[in-house]
């Protein structure tokens, strides 16, 4: 594959692992979940969990590692959308 | 790897490919981008584009296909956040 291919693989892994960190920070700070789709973050979290499981099947440490980081951010956003949504229902 | 492993791989691919479809529909409908992180969707879009490129390097049709679908949704959301953000700046 060569170095350039490896570079794109690692860039892809790192970027998609950390991409929802700014969204997580923003959502924790503002609690503004009105524009966020609960369904999307639910499917996304389940999807990444499947990547983690698949990583165990193919014995890929980077796949397990990168996707575990993603799950933390996606799960946090999902949790806040759920909690804030319930608060708004009560009010 | 067996059927169960394959199952998780395909589930992961399909779910992470389509996960931002509900978010795209919601954002197009409501134009509510206040709670969305431009930085996150920017990093996410670049990250998935790297997966597409990596898919070409390792000759993986599913990787190219699934991530191209993701790019369409992520790119659409990114575009709306950018456009709506500029509108709000002008007002």
């Amino acid at each position: 594959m060569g170095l350039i291919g490896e570079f794109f693989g690692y860039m892809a892994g790192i970027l998609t692992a950390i991409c929802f960190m700014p969204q997580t920070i923003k959502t924790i700070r503002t609690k503004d979940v009105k524009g966020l789709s609960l369904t999307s973050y639910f499917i996304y979290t389940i999807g990444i969990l499947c990547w983690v499981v698949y990583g165990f099947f193919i014995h890929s440490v980077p796949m397990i590692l990168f996707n575990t980081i993603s799950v933390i951010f996606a799960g946090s956003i999902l949790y806040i959308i759920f909690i804030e949504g319930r608060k708004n229902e009560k009010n």
Side-chain angles (χ1 to χ4, degrees), chain A residues 27-74:
Chain A
T27 310
I28 289 172
R29 275 196 191 149
T30 64
K31 300 275 193 297
D32 183 358
V33 298
K34 240 181 55 182
L36 302 182
S37 164
L38 177 71
T39 316
S40 275
Y41 281 96
F42 180 73
I43 301 172
Y44 184 57
T45 307
I46 302 293
I48 311 163
L49 277 173
C50 288
W51 279 127
V52 175
V53 175
Y54 185 68
F56 278 104
F57 272 98
I58 64 166
H59 308 286
S60 166
V61 176
M63 188 172 278
I64 297 165
L65 197 72
F66 287 142
N67 284 295
T68 302
I69 297 168
S70 295
V71 162
I72 295 167
F73 295 125

